PDB file of all heavy atoms in Angstrom:
ATOM      1  N   SER A 661     135.661   9.073  62.880  1.00 92.00           N
ATOM      2  CA  SER A 661     136.680   8.178  62.272  1.00 92.00           C
ATOM      3  C   SER A 661     136.052   6.877  61.681  1.00 92.00           C
ATOM      4  O   SER A 661     136.429   6.414  60.684  1.00 92.00           O
ATOM      5  CB  SER A 661     137.792   7.876  63.233  1.00 92.00           C
ATOM      6  OG  SER A 661     137.214   7.215  64.417  1.00 92.00           O
ATOM      7  N   ALA A 662     135.027   6.397  62.415  1.00 92.00           N
ATOM      8  CA  ALA A 662     134.439   5.136  61.949  1.00 92.00           C
ATOM      9  C   ALA A 662     133.811   5.412  60.615  1.00 92.00           C
ATOM     10  O   ALA A 662     133.821   4.575  59.673  1.00 92.00           O
ATOM     11  CB  ALA A 662     133.507   4.632  63.024  1.00 92.00           C
ATOM     12  N   LYS A 663     132.976   6.455  60.561  1.00 90.00           N
ATOM     13  CA  LYS A 663     132.264   6.768  59.318  1.00 90.00           C
ATOM     14  C   LYS A 663     133.346   7.089  58.210  1.00 90.00           C
ATOM     15  O   LYS A 663     133.168   6.570  57.028  1.00 90.00           O
ATOM     16  CB  LYS A 663     131.428   8.087  59.465  1.00 90.00           C
ATOM     17  CG  LYS A 663     129.998   7.709  59.927  1.00 90.00           C
ATOM     18  CD  LYS A 663     129.190   7.168  58.795  1.00 90.00           C
ATOM     19  CE  LYS A 663     127.687   7.046  59.181  1.00 90.00           C
ATOM     20  NZ  LYS A 663     126.936   6.504  58.061  1.00 90.00           N
ATOM     21  N   PHE A 664     134.375   7.887  58.516  1.00 92.00           N
ATOM     22  CA  PHE A 664     135.354   8.219  57.532  1.00 92.00           C
ATOM     23  C   PHE A 664     136.081   6.993  57.046  1.00 92.00           C
ATOM     24  O   PHE A 664     136.207   6.792  55.751  1.00 92.00           O
ATOM     25  CB  PHE A 664     136.359   9.182  58.173  1.00 92.00           C
ATOM     26  CG  PHE A 664     137.306   9.721  57.249  1.00 92.00           C
ATOM     27  CD1 PHE A 664     137.112  10.859  56.499  1.00 92.00           C
ATOM     28  CD2 PHE A 664     138.597   9.175  57.004  1.00 92.00           C
ATOM     29  CE1 PHE A 664     138.010  11.458  55.601  1.00 92.00           C
ATOM     30  CE2 PHE A 664     139.628   9.625  56.250  1.00 92.00           C
ATOM     31  CZ  PHE A 664     139.293  10.814  55.494  1.00 92.00           C
ATOM     32  N   ILE A 665     136.615   6.124  57.887  1.00 92.00           N
ATOM     33  CA  ILE A 665     137.348   4.994  57.538  1.00 92.00           C
ATOM     34  C   ILE A 665     136.433   3.969  56.711  1.00 92.00           C
ATOM     35  O   ILE A 665     136.832   3.459  55.717  1.00 92.00           O
ATOM     36  CB  ILE A 665     138.022   4.318  58.709  1.00 92.00           C
ATOM     37  CG1 ILE A 665     139.004   5.288  59.268  1.00 92.00           C
ATOM     38  CG2 ILE A 665     138.681   2.973  58.336  1.00 92.00           C
ATOM     39  CD1 ILE A 665     139.613   4.808  60.574  1.00 92.00           C
ATOM     40  N   GLY A 666     135.253   3.728  57.242  1.00 90.00           N
ATOM     41  CA  GLY A 666     134.436   2.796  56.589  1.00 90.00           C
ATOM     42  C   GLY A 666     134.000   3.184  55.185  1.00 90.00           C
ATOM     43  O   GLY A 666     134.131   2.402  54.250  1.00 90.00           O
ATOM     44  N   ALA A 667     133.538   4.429  54.992  1.00 90.00           N
ATOM     45  CA  ALA A 667     133.095   4.931  53.734  1.00 90.00           C
ATOM     46  C   ALA A 667     134.172   5.114  52.696  1.00 90.00           C
ATOM     47  O   ALA A 667     134.215   4.722  51.560  1.00 90.00           O
ATOM     48  CB  ALA A 667     132.281   6.212  53.877  1.00 90.00           C
ATOM     49  N   ALA A 668     135.393   5.670  53.284  1.00 91.00           N
ATOM     50  CA  ALA A 668     136.520   5.807  52.370  1.00 91.00           C
ATOM     51  C   ALA A 668     137.137   4.510  51.939  1.00 91.00           C
ATOM     52  O   ALA A 668     137.471   4.329  50.743  1.00 91.00           O
ATOM     53  CB  ALA A 668     137.646   6.721  53.129  1.00 91.00           C
ATOM     54  N   GLY A 669     137.238   3.605  52.839  1.00 90.00           N
ATOM     55  CA  GLY A 669     137.755   2.243  52.461  1.00 90.00           C
ATOM     56  C   GLY A 669     136.867   1.527  51.502  1.00 90.00           C
ATOM     57  O   GLY A 669     137.359   0.890  50.447  1.00 90.00           O
ATOM     58  N   ALA A 670     135.568   1.530  51.605  1.00 89.00           N
ATOM     59  CA  ALA A 670     134.643   0.958  50.658  1.00 89.00           C
ATOM     60  C   ALA A 670     134.747   1.670  49.290  1.00 89.00           C
ATOM     61  O   ALA A 670     134.753   1.021  48.240  1.00 89.00           O
ATOM     62  CB  ALA A 670     133.169   0.963  51.146  1.00 89.00           C
ATOM     63  N   ALA A 671     134.887   2.972  49.266  1.00 88.00           N
ATOM     64  CA  ALA A 671     135.100   3.755  47.988  1.00 88.00           C
ATOM     65  C   ALA A 671     136.339   3.409  47.347  1.00 88.00           C
ATOM     66  O   ALA A 671     136.463   3.268  46.089  1.00 88.00           O
ATOM     67  CB  ALA A 671     134.953   5.244  48.248  1.00 88.00           C
ATOM     68  N   ARG A 672     137.406   3.152  48.092  1.00 88.00           N
ATOM     69  CA  ARG A 672     138.651   2.749  47.458  1.00 88.00           C
ATOM     70  C   ARG A 672     138.638   1.387  46.836  1.00 88.00           C
ATOM     71  O   ARG A 672     139.176   1.195  45.769  1.00 88.00           O
ATOM     72  CB  ARG A 672     139.737   2.787  48.598  1.00 88.00           C
ATOM     73  CG  ARG A 672     141.130   2.363  48.083  1.00 88.00           C
ATOM     74  CD  ARG A 672     141.714   3.425  47.062  1.00 88.00           C
ATOM     75  NE  ARG A 672     143.000   3.140  46.614  1.00 88.00           N
ATOM     76  CZ  ARG A 672     143.647   3.787  45.653  1.00 88.00           C
ATOM     77  NH1 ARG A 672     143.013   4.741  45.069  1.00 88.00           N
ATOM     78  NH2 ARG A 672     144.794   3.408  45.303  1.00 88.00           N
ATOM     79  N   VAL A 673     137.884   0.476  47.433  1.00 86.00           N
ATOM     80  CA  VAL A 673     137.605  -0.820  46.854  1.00 86.00           C
ATOM     81  C   VAL A 673     136.948  -0.756  45.467  1.00 86.00           C
ATOM     82  O   VAL A 673     137.284  -1.552  44.523  1.00 86.00           O
ATOM     83  CB  VAL A 673     136.848  -1.762  47.750  1.00 86.00           C
ATOM     84  CG1 VAL A 673     136.467  -3.144  47.075  1.00 86.00           C
ATOM     85  CG2 VAL A 673     137.602  -1.976  49.022  1.00 86.00           C
ATOM     86  N   THR A 674     136.106   0.343  45.307  1.00 81.00           N
ATOM     87  CA  THR A 674     135.377   0.418  44.048  1.00 81.00           C
ATOM     88  C   THR A 674     136.309   1.058  42.895  1.00 81.00           C
ATOM     89  O   THR A 674     135.798   1.322  41.791  1.00 81.00           O
ATOM     90  CB  THR A 674     134.134   1.308  44.186  1.00 81.00           C
ATOM     91  OG1 THR A 674     134.490   2.602  44.637  1.00 81.00           O
ATOM     92  CG2 THR A 674     133.191   0.614  45.179  1.00 81.00           C
ATOM     93  N   GLY A 675     137.510   1.468  43.301  1.00 81.00           N
ATOM     94  CA  GLY A 675     138.395   2.077  42.271  1.00 81.00           C
ATOM     95  C   GLY A 675     138.523   3.491  42.302  1.00 81.00           C
ATOM     96  O   GLY A 675     139.086   4.191  41.420  1.00 81.00           O
ATOM     97  N   MET A 676     137.955   4.229  43.305  1.00 84.00           N
ATOM     98  CA  MET A 676     138.119   5.646  43.434  1.00 84.00           C
ATOM     99  C   MET A 676     139.538   6.074  43.878  1.00 84.00           C
ATOM    100  O   MET A 676     140.277   5.357  44.454  1.00 84.00           O
ATOM    101  CB  MET A 676     137.110   6.198  44.420  1.00 84.00           C
ATOM    102  CG  MET A 676     135.684   5.851  44.195  1.00 84.00           C
ATOM    103  SD  MET A 676     135.049   6.548  42.617  1.00 84.00           S
ATOM    104  CE  MET A 676     134.921   8.320  43.132  1.00 84.00           C
ATOM    105  N   LEU A 677     139.893   7.368  43.495  1.00 88.00           N
ATOM    106  CA  LEU A 677     141.211   7.850  43.846  1.00 88.00           C
ATOM    107  C   LEU A 677     141.158   8.223  45.359  1.00 88.00           C
ATOM    108  O   LEU A 677     140.127   8.342  45.891  1.00 88.00           O
ATOM    109  CB  LEU A 677     141.577   9.112  43.075  1.00 88.00           C
ATOM    110  CG  LEU A 677     141.611   8.932  41.519  1.00 88.00           C
ATOM    111  CD1 LEU A 677     141.755  10.245  40.834  1.00 88.00           C
ATOM    112  CD2 LEU A 677     142.801   8.040  41.152  1.00 88.00           C
ATOM    113  N   TRP A 678     142.377   8.293  45.921  1.00 90.00           N
ATOM    114  CA  TRP A 678     142.342   8.478  47.372  1.00 90.00           C
ATOM    115  C   TRP A 678     141.722   9.781  47.816  1.00 90.00           C
ATOM    116  O   TRP A 678     140.988   9.808  48.758  1.00 90.00           O
ATOM    117  CB  TRP A 678     143.888   8.585  47.895  1.00 90.00           C
ATOM    118  CG  TRP A 678     144.411   7.141  48.052  1.00 90.00           C
ATOM    119  CD1 TRP A 678     145.477   6.495  47.497  1.00 90.00           C
ATOM    120  CD2 TRP A 678     143.984   6.182  49.079  1.00 90.00           C
ATOM    121  NE1 TRP A 678     145.622   5.250  47.961  1.00 90.00           N
ATOM    122  CE2 TRP A 678     144.734   5.006  48.980  1.00 90.00           C
ATOM    123  CE3 TRP A 678     142.955   6.209  50.054  1.00 90.00           C
ATOM    124  CZ2 TRP A 678     144.553   3.846  49.762  1.00 90.00           C
ATOM    125  CZ3 TRP A 678     142.784   5.037  50.868  1.00 90.00           C
ATOM    126  CH2 TRP A 678     143.540   3.984  50.691  1.00 90.00           C
TER     127      TRP A 678
END
Side-chain angles (χ1 to χ4, degrees):
S661 61
K663 270 284 188 182
F664 185 89
I665 295 173
R672 182 62 179 173
V673 173
T674 62
M676 304 293 291
L677 299 172
W678 275 117

